[in-house]
Amino acid sequence: MVRRLVERIMKPEKIDYSREGVRVLHVLAKSIPALNGYSIRGHGLIRSQKSSGLVKPLALTSPFYPADDSMSIEATFDGIRYLRSMPIMEAAIGPLRMKILGKSGIGIGTDKSVARRKSQSIIENRNILSQITLALSYPFRLALSFIDEKIRMEYFRGIILETIRDYEPDIVHAHTPFKV
């Protein structure tokens, strides 16, 4: 089994570039219209592939940046379609997991004010009692953050598989970071 896997890696299947183009699904953490180095580099790479005429790219953006409204609206830029995994729908993950995402303060892609209000209240309440409460609640908040990340990763995995089934890409290019 391992030998066959090594042989496949050493002798990868040849891609037929003679047909209408190789379908490549780019899985991204963030993408344009968000303007940062990550999204600009990713779009540049995808745009270059498209302009080669050999590649038919499609992009999918992760659910890890819910505070950015642009990550929840499907869009097309420079002829490249950007699919979104936000907002997270309760029907996809269940009511309990949805409540956990709501409690974590990170957001689910529809209300970015929750995370802001939470961080603002921490900054404003600098009395000794709030500092003690904050320190004592740290393990709980850390665990909640870990659970939140696991829920988002599992959800994103499902969205990626669904996108692969729907669009049948020849190649899936997972960009950084490790969550993607």
Side-chain angles (χ1 to χ4, degrees):
M1 176 84 152
V2 173
R3 185 177 182 180
R4 276 186 272 147
L5 181 61
V6 170
E7 286 173 1
R8 266 186 99 187
I9 292 169
M10 299 307 286
K11 297 178 191 172
E13 296 175 22
K14 295 200 179 200
I15 298 172
D16 182 10
Y17 288 100
S18 64
R19 57 189 174 89
E20 60 192 62
V22 175
R23 294 180 307 268
V24 178
L25 172 62
H26 291 269
V27 182
L28 304 159
K30 276 184 119 173
S31 64
I32 60 171
L35 294 178
N36 56 54
Y38 179 94
S39 61
I40 292 168
R41 283 188 304 274
H43 183 69
L45 172 82
I46 297 166
R47 190 179 61 226
S48 293
Q49 287 182 348
K50 182 174 176 34
S51 67
S52 75
L54 300 173
V55 177
K56 293 176 95 178
L58 176 69
L60 174 64
T61 305
S62 82
F64 290 100
Y65 297 92
D68 193 338
D69 286 337
S70 64
M71 295 300 105
S72 62
I73 301 165
E74 190 174 310
T76 301
F77 298 100
D78 296 330
I80 301 160
R81 188 168 173 197
Y82 284 85
L83 304 173
R84 309 297 187 189
S85 60
M86 293 298 292
I88 296 175
M89 301 295 177
E90 185 174 318
I93 65 170
L96 177 62
R97 289 179 177 175
M98 196 71 163
K99 282 184 182 180
I100 291 170
L101 290 181
K103 298 263 187 234
S104 71
I106 296 171
I108 53 176
T110 57
D111 183 10
K112 60 184 169 185
S113 62
V114 173
R116 274 198 207 123
R117 282 194 310 263
K118 186 175 182 179
S119 63
Q120 242 176 351
S121 69
I122 290 169
I123 293 167
E124 291 169 0
N125 296 325
R126 293 194 181 254
N127 64 37
I128 190 73
L129 184 59
S130 67
Q131 288 179 355
I132 291 170
T133 304
L134 193 61
L136 292 175
S137 67
Y138 178 75
F140 175 74
R141 289 182 291 118
L142 187 63
L144 193 58
S145 174
F146 177 76
I147 293 167
D148 177 284
E149 186 171 294
K150 286 295 196 185
I151 291 170
R152 287 179 197 277
M153 288 179 92
E154 183 180 310
Y155 169 76
F156 194 34
R157 179 181 177 274
I159 294 292
I160 292 168
L161 292 174
E162 183 180 309
T163 304
I164 290 170
R165 277 192 303 273
D166 291 348
Y167 294 94
E168 300 178 340
D170 299 307
I171 298 170
V172 177
H173 179 172
H175 293 242
T176 58
F178 77 94
K179 293 176 186 177
V180 172

